């Protein structure tokens, strides 16, 4: 799991990192750049709105970004990625 608190994959101190992630600023861009540099090229935002999807597109327009808000949008994403 890439933690927004550190911008890296973490396997230790997960409970503390989750607490810090809620209480502190996060490194969202660093997290995304780490994932992209690691070869991840598809991101799916789940929840109302597409704010985070917009951030991802600004960081790297070459990756695929999907937003899932309801069953209809989930079905559309699944048609594309499966």
């Amino acid at each position: 799991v890439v933690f927004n608190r550190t911008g890296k994959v973490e396997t230790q101190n997960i409970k503390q990192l989750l607490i810090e992630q809620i209480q502190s600023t996060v490194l969202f861009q660093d997290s995304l750049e780490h994932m992209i540099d690691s070869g991840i090229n598809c991101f799916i935002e789940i929840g109302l709105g597409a704010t985070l999807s917009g951030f991802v597109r600004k960081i790297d327009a070459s990756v695929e970004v999907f937003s899932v808000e309801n069953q209809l949008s989930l079905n559309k994403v699944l048609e594309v990625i499966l």
Side-chain angles (χ1 to χ4, degrees):
V1 175
V2 175
F3 280 85
N4 284 335
R5 181 67 186 116
T6 63
K8 300 184 290 189
V9 174
E10 301 287 351
T11 59
Q12 307 265 328
N13 304 316
I14 292 174
K15 181 178 178 181
Q16 183 60 36
L17 286 168
L18 289 172
I19 292 168
E20 290 177 17
Q21 188 162 307
I22 292 171
Q23 298 175 339
S24 306
T25 58
V26 296
L27 303 172
F28 185 70
Q29 182 169 343
D30 291 350
S31 298
L32 288 172
E33 289 172 349
H34 175 77
M35 289 186 276
I36 292 166
D37 291 344
S38 297
I40 296 171
N41 61 3
C42 181
F43 295 85
I44 302 171
E45 178 178 4
I46 299 173
L48 296 178
T51 303
L52 298 178
S53 296
F55 291 151
V56 175
R57 285 186 189 98
K58 286 181 182 178
I59 292 168
D60 188 334
S62 71
V63 299
E64 288 188 280
V65 182
F66 301 97
S67 181
V68 174
E69 296 184 29
N70 53 40
Q71 187 67 46
L72 179 62
S73 58
L74 173 62
N75 291 343
K76 288 180 180 181
V77 170
L78 291 174
E79 286 176 16
V80 172
I81 65 172
L82 297 180

